[in-house]
Amino acid sequence: MEKTALLIIDVQNDYFPGGKMTLEGAELAGKNIQQVLEYFRKNKLPVIHIRHISTNEGATFFLQGTSGAEIHSLVSPLAGEKVIEKHFPNSFRETDLLKYLQSENIKDLVITGMMTDVCVESTTRASFDFGFNNMIIGDATATRDRELNGQTVKASEVQKSFLAGISALGGLYAKIVNTKDFLKEK
């Protein structure tokens, strides 16, 4: 695990109840991320917090200077933990994430966060393209209902579909595990 880092993507207040973009299962996912985070901290392994700040015109959540854009208290960064601000779904785009991982000789990423089908998925695929080995803690991610051609796709179906797709072909982009199994393996 010495070349492994934990990536916590966009666990911010706007995704939790009372926020401007509440996700289904955000609280459970947040508690699972907290458990994984405690493991990384206890073992003095690198932790990277990704924080999205919306800069696109018409954005309604993750707005600069709002409490909704703050990292949720379940996973508040500690001194010495890397925090990267991003403006796009892919955490590598126009950030120093790749440079930081390379400078720390990180080869493997344990990925958690929100939204499964947007920022988690795009970051994981980019990470694979940069040569990293990825593991997603599936129950430490969350999303929301989506609409497709006038039909609602339930969050649970979106969640399963995206995790299944990103782990296709023998876990090409990422191996998917749950929190309990991840912690049991360690």
Side-chain angles (χ1 to χ4, degrees), residues 11-133:
V11 180
Q12 295 167 247
N13 292 331
D14 272 340
Y15 281 156
F16 288 80
K20 294 186 178 185
M21 183 59 72
T22 305
L23 303 184
E24 184 149 328
E27 291 174 303
L28 178 59
K31 289 176 183 174
N32 288 334
I33 296 166
Q34 185 181 45
Q35 290 179 55
V36 175
L37 175 59
E38 287 171 4
Y39 169 83
F40 272 76
R41 286 175 173 165
K42 180 179 147 196
N43 290 284
K44 298 180 177 24
L45 295 168
V47 173
I48 304 158
H49 301 265
I50 305 293
R51 179 175 173 241
H52 192 106
I53 298 297
S54 296
T55 57
N56 54 313
E57 188 174 327
T60 60
F61 66 102
F62 291 167
L63 302 175
Q64 181 75 42
T66 66
S67 64
E70 295 304 315
I71 293 174
H72 195 276
S73 61
L74 285 170
V75 296
S76 294
L78 297 179
E81 292 177 348
K82 180 78 169 164
V83 178
I84 294 175
E85 186 174 295
K86 70 177 178 68
H87 307 292
F88 299 96
N90 174 357
S91 300
F92 289 93
R93 183 174 173 185
E94 297 181 23
T95 71
D96 69 342
L97 179 57
L98 179 60
K99 183 178 173 184
Y100 177 77
L101 293 171
Q102 291 171 334
S103 73
E104 297 294 315
N105 296 311
I106 301 298
K107 304 291 183 216
D108 303 311
L109 293 175
V110 174
I111 301 172
T112 63
M114 304 174 184
M115 287 190 269
T116 309
D117 52 321
V118 184
C119 299
V120 171
E121 190 262 351
S122 63
T123 298
T124 301
R125 289 184 186 276
S127 174
F128 170 80
D129 288 343
F130 285 124
F132 295 95
N133 302 306

